[in-house]
Amino acid sequence: MSIENPIFRTEDLCAYYGDFMAIKHVTMSIPEKKVTAFMGPSGCGKTTILRCLNRLHELTPGAWYSGKIFLRDQDILEMDPILVRRKVGMVFQKPNPFPTMTIYDNVLAGYKLLGIRLKKEEADRICEEALRKAALWDEVKDILHRRGTFLSGGQQQRLCIARALAVNPEVLLMDEPTSALDPKATLQIENLIVDLKNTVTIIIVTHNMPQAGRVSDYSAFFYLGELVEFGPTAEMFTNPKDPRTEEYLTGKFS
Amino acid sequence: MNNTNNVRYQWRRTKNQIILATIAVLAIIPAIPLFVILFQLFQKGISSLSIDFFLNLPAPPGEPGGGIKNAIVGTFIIVGLASLMGVPISIMAGIYLSEYGKESKFAHLVRMCADIFQGVPSIVIGIIAYAWVVKPLGKFSALAGSVALAIMMIPVVVRTTEEVLRLVPNILREASLALGVPYWRTVLKVVLPTGMVGVTTGVLIAVARIAGETAPLLFTAFGNPFMTYNPLEPMNALPLLIFNYSMSPYEDWWQQAWGASIVLITIVLLLNIASRILARRVAGEK
């Protein structure tokens, strides 16, 4: 299936940990301003490929890639990883606000840690905007100068989303963002993902198929490092083309 | 049948209590010397403590009065200079081991050297400082003492810094890197501040350790009965004063050595307590 004007396009992407090939010859296109879900059983490589997209994969000792990953027209494997990560933000499995910083500073961490000086009004505006986008503003607007770690797990995760959004990334990668959260917080994050897709392209790794069904427009199913199937979520869930996808969706293995 | 079971149960209970009591006694024994020492110190030395004792300079033998002001000031100058030299190097080395060297051969070598260095007798370090500083400068000096103490504190601070920074969760490094922050900035602005309390604890422990060292100062700082603030001159320090006074033939100097011991042990205890409070804060944050 072909995607018009994809934001990400991989060509024969392979990712390795030493001798182990975790991603095998993946060629795929990710549509812009949509939510794409990466699904698959544990160890299928979905997190690995997500971490290729912002070059975090290479931080693991012994990890390397082959192939190409285009962000629009630029091969990010040829770019400075720092520039890639400015354009491709990430939210992690466990909420990880910086424990030494206030809520306010956490949101602005993308600027402060880089030593970019903002005017007070500018900083306030970016902070409020990011927190509003992350649906956290109303809960924290009076406690901006408390530590980020003081918040509940779900609030911390939305704080991390705000932190990623504050630097205006083109793509937001989410690595099982709700797996450490309770059902209510999970629902809030899911609603937030649906709201955000107008402003930013989202790629979400999830273990949870109903969640993929609720939030994503497109789905990719990985199995043992291979991309088995890619297509509109509704189509894949109702009419999977590959027997392995069908077996996974019907719970024959997980 | 029931009866024998009950007897056995009673015997097991008694055994348990005997062993518990034995362990409790054994646990108290190591604490006894500390309290005996503290008790004896205060018993013998408390009478020399007075405001004059802190504010006056030593009196010549035979004259009554006299204080230990120069030794207190000297200890602070020598230990302060040692920290100024030792702490930045140690923290940078600790950062290197935890964030850059990791499992490399060179890092293992540095680690091994630090561990071996911790075991080098302090008198040997004094000799090294004598050869490095006293000989070339041609005289004893506080600086030479500080160099000796800095060498002593470096391995301790290097290893604690490394251990503490390793405890900083990796997801915080990744969070920063994912924002497009370069690695060196991540280390300086995220990893180091997160581990700062622990690093400070390590520094305090090291300072407490070197503050009481006598051997490295014997032929470096040497001691000085007069007041001096010049680190290039021989300088007095509390451990040196205690050593010299207790070796002297004058009874009132012995008395003052007891008093100086109280001052020294109080400084060391306060540093240890401060490091414990900080360490508890680290534990509380996790």
Side-chain angles (χ1 to χ4, degrees):
Chain A
M1 71 151 287
S2 71
I3 302 276
E4 303 249 325
N5 297 327
I7 188 154
F8 261 126
R9 189 160 54 82
T10 70
E11 260 176 33
D12 198 31
L13 177 69
C14 303
Y16 306 80
Y17 296 102
D19 297 333
F20 175 69
M21 195 179 193
I23 296 293
K24 298 170 184 161
H25 308 286
V26 170
T27 298
M28 70 190 298
S29 296
I30 308 255
E32 193 174 0
K33 302 264 168 87
K34 299 278 184 219
V35 179
T36 303
F38 286 1
M39 293 185 300
S42 300
C44 71
K46 54 193 188 300
T47 296
T48 302
I49 193 169
L50 192 79
R51 288 167 63 94
C52 289
L53 298 180
N54 68 344
R55 305 260 314 252
L56 274 193
H57 173 63
E58 67 206 46
L59 296 179
T60 313
W64 55 291
Y65 333 69
S66 68
K68 289 180 163 50
I69 305 172
F70 291 100
L71 175 64
R72 297 192 198 283
D73 312 318
Q74 270 181 303
D75 185 354
I76 62 166
L77 297 182
E78 310 271 306
M79 283 168 71
D80 183 342
I82 288 163
L83 297 178
V84 176
R85 294 174 194 147
R86 301 290 288 171
K87 293 183 180 184
V88 184
M90 187 160 190
V91 176
F92 295 81
Q93 196 167 350
K94 265 176 74 182
N96 54 359
F98 297 120
T100 52
M101 295 185 194
T102 61
I103 294 171
Y104 184 84
D105 286 345
N106 258 291
V107 177
L108 296 171
Y111 299 91
K112 300 217 163 184
L113 292 179
L114 273 173
I116 299 172
R117 290 189 190 283
L118 297 168
K119 285 195 189 117
K120 177 88 173 74
E121 312 87 69
E122 175 88 352
D124 288 348
R125 188 186 56 77
I126 293 171
C127 179
E128 180 174 345
E129 215 173 272
L131 284 170
R132 277 190 194 282
K133 276 190 206 161
L136 190 61
W137 175 251
D138 291 332
E139 288 159 66
V140 302
K141 65 181 176 210
D142 300 321
I143 52 167
L144 287 175
H145 293 282
R146 294 187 82 153
R147 300 240 165 157
T149 40
F150 155 84
L151 299 170
S152 74
Q155 289 174 321
Q156 286 189 21
Q157 193 62 302
R158 277 179 283 147
L159 177 60
C160 293
I161 294 174
R163 179 176 68 189
L165 291 174
V167 292
N168 287 316
E170 295 187 41
V171 184
L172 188 60
L173 307 176
M174 300 177 121
D175 184 6
E176 299 187 42
T178 62
S179 63
L181 304 181
D182 63 58
K184 184 167 168 260
T186 300
L187 187 69
Q188 284 174 317
I189 303 267
E190 286 181 6
N191 291 339
L192 177 58
I193 292 170
V194 175
D195 291 341
L196 280 175
K197 72 176 174 192
N198 297 319
T199 41
V200 61
T201 307
I202 293 177
I203 304 174
I204 177 173
V205 163
T206 176
H207 240 44
N208 176 335
M209 279 176 290
Q211 179 172 70
R214 284 192 295 270
V215 302
S216 72
D217 304 300
Y218 289 83
S219 289
F221 176 67
F222 291 90
Y223 186 62
L224 297 176
E226 284 173 58
L227 174 64
V228 173
E229 193 167 342
F230 181 81
T233 304
E235 213 170 283
M236 193 196 280
F237 273 49
T238 50
N239 190 12
K241 293 188 187 71
D242 194 287
R244 287 170 294 181
T245 317
E246 182 169 358
E247 280 175 28
Y248 180 71
L249 289 173
T250 52
K252 295 240 171 67
F253 64 88
S254 63
Chain B
M1 192 64 194
N2 226 346
N3 206 14
T4 50
N5 267 348
N6 200 25
V7 170
R8 276 188 194 163
Y9 170 71
Q10 283 302 339
W11 172 228
R12 283 210 303 270
R13 255 177 69 101
T14 321
K15 258 200 304 195
N16 190 30
Q17 280 162 349
I18 292 170
I19 289 172
L20 191 68
T22 318
I23 290 172
V25 170
L26 289 176
I28 292 168
I29 289 174
I32 291 174
L34 176 68
F35 287 101
V36 171
I37 289 170
L38 281 179
F39 175 75
Q40 210 168 6
L41 263 182
F42 277 88
Q43 193 193 22
K44 301 210 174 174
I46 199 90
S47 61
S48 20
L49 294 187
S50 65
I51 294 188
D52 286 344
F53 186 65
F54 288 97
L55 295 184
N56 284 0
L57 292 176
E63 272 180 37
I68 57 165
K69 179 184 171 192
N70 63 341
I72 296 176
V73 172
T75 282
F76 279 103
I77 291 178
I78 293 171
V79 170
L81 267 179
S83 309
L84 230 54
M85 289 187 276
V87 170
I89 298 174
S90 313
I91 290 181
M92 282 190 271
I95 291 175
Y96 169 78
L97 289 179
S98 151
E99 305 300 313
Y100 292 92
K102 291 177 186 166
E103 298 306 317
S104 70
K105 281 213 173 104
F106 181 64
H108 278 293
L109 188 73
V110 173
R111 246 171 241 136
M112 203 176 73
C113 291
D115 289 345
I116 293 172
F117 230 115
Q118 285 197 39
V120 173
S122 53
I123 188 87
V124 176
I125 291 174
I127 295 172
I128 294 171
Y130 179 85
W132 285 359
V133 188
V134 178
K135 275 284 237 177
L137 289 184
K139 63 176 177 185
F140 297 112
S141 64
L143 183 71
S146 299
V147 168
L149 295 184
I151 295 173
M152 285 207 70
M153 80 187 297
I154 284 173
V156 183
V157 180
V158 169
R159 293 297 265 146
T160 47
T161 302
E162 182 197 358
E163 297 299 328
V164 164
L165 295 187
R166 277 179 169 223
L167 288 178
V168 173
N170 216 19
I171 53 170
L172 292 180
R173 293 184 184 86
E174 291 196 339
S176 170
L177 293 171
L179 286 167
V181 179
Y183 194 67
W184 67 272
R185 271 191 177 273
T186 301
V187 169
L188 283 186
K189 302 248 177 168
V190 175
V191 180
L192 197 57
T194 308
M196 203 56 210
V197 182
V199 173
T200 316
T201 308
V203 170
L204 284 181
I205 290 172
V207 169
R209 211 186 111 175
I210 61 166
E213 279 293 339
T214 320
L217 298 182
L218 283 176
F219 28 80
T220 51
F222 193 71
N224 185 342
F226 306 107
M227 187 75 222
T228 175
Y229 297 97
N230 184 352
L232 294 175
E233 293 290 324
M235 196 180 274
N236 215 355
L238 283 169
L240 281 176
L241 179 132
I242 295 166
F243 177 75
N244 290 330
Y245 275 23
S246 54
M247 302 295 279
S248 77
Y250 314 113
E251 207 161 322
D252 55 333
W253 278 17
W254 302 347
Q255 185 57 39
Q256 295 203 334
W258 283 110
S261 301
I262 295 183
V263 175
L264 181 59
I265 210 164
T266 308
I267 294 174
V268 173
L269 275 181
L270 284 180
L271 282 167
N272 273 313
I273 291 170
S275 68
R276 292 217 154 218
I277 292 170
L278 276 176
R280 201 163 295 164
R281 256 186 61 195
V282 181
E285 275 172 12
K286 292 254 157 70

